[in-house]
Amino acid sequence: MIFTNITFKHTNIATDERLDNLVEQKLVSLEKHIDANTEVKTEVEFEKIPSHRSGPICRIEINVWVDGTLYRAESTEETFEAAIDVVRNDLDQEMRRAQSKRHSLLRRGSRKIKEMMRWG
């Protein structure tokens, strides 16, 4: 498991192990974008907005550092479970886009090298 260094912060809410475990389970699906020997640091913040009584009052923010690159997502929903799902999807999309950009840049560089070798 890559996500072992997770820091949890709870603002205006009691510490809830159930939510912490749910976040850990959701983050496991993001391991496909990260190499096994990569350093990963994660910060998760749960916040209940005290000025509202109903509506989107549950906010979650997740910061993931992978070898110095920051991936960040936040969401405010009616329940923490819904916010966790939205944040996980946003992180997945952001990591996919970064992986695609790296791959495209590598292929473009390879084409340039091949062109230089071919035409000198």
Side-chain angles (χ1 to χ4, degrees), residues 2 34-40 66-67:
I2 295 175
I34 303 169
D35 295 332
N37 55 359
T38 305
E39 180 183 343
V40 178
V66 179
D67 280 341

Side-chain angles (χ1 to χ4, degrees), residues 60-79:
I60 185 169
E61 175 182 335
I62 298 180
N63 297 321
V64 178
W65 284 273
V66 179
D67 280 341
T69 304
L70 172 66
Y71 300 102
R72 181 180 182 283
E74 73 175 86
S75 176
T76 305
E77 298 291 329
E78 292 187 14
T79 64

Side-chain angles (χ1 to χ4, degrees), residues 15 58 69 117:
T15 303
C58 299
T69 304
M117 289 175 62

Side-chain angles (χ1 to χ4, degrees), residues 25-60:
Q25 289 174 0
K26 295 291 183 171
L27 290 178
V28 167
S29 65
L30 298 176
E31 290 182 354
K32 61 187 172 194
H33 301 294
I34 303 169
D35 295 332
N37 55 359
T38 305
E39 180 183 343
V40 178
K41 179 184 171 194
T42 307
E43 291 180 356
V44 179
E45 180 181 356
F46 295 100
E47 179 182 11
K48 191 160 209 155
I49 301 171
S51 62
H52 302 310
R53 293 189 184 266
S54 63
I57 60 172
C58 299
R59 181 181 163 274
I60 185 169

Side-chain angles (χ1 to χ4, degrees), residues 76-101:
T76 305
E77 298 291 329
E78 292 187 14
T79 64
F80 281 113
E81 290 81 6
I84 290 170
D85 288 338
V86 171
V87 167
R88 184 243 167 271
N89 290 338
D90 290 348
L91 282 174
D92 184 47
Q93 182 180 6
E94 192 172 338
M95 288 180 158
R96 272 183 207 268
R97 188 172 22 152
Q99 187 177 20
S100 175
K101 281 185 177 183

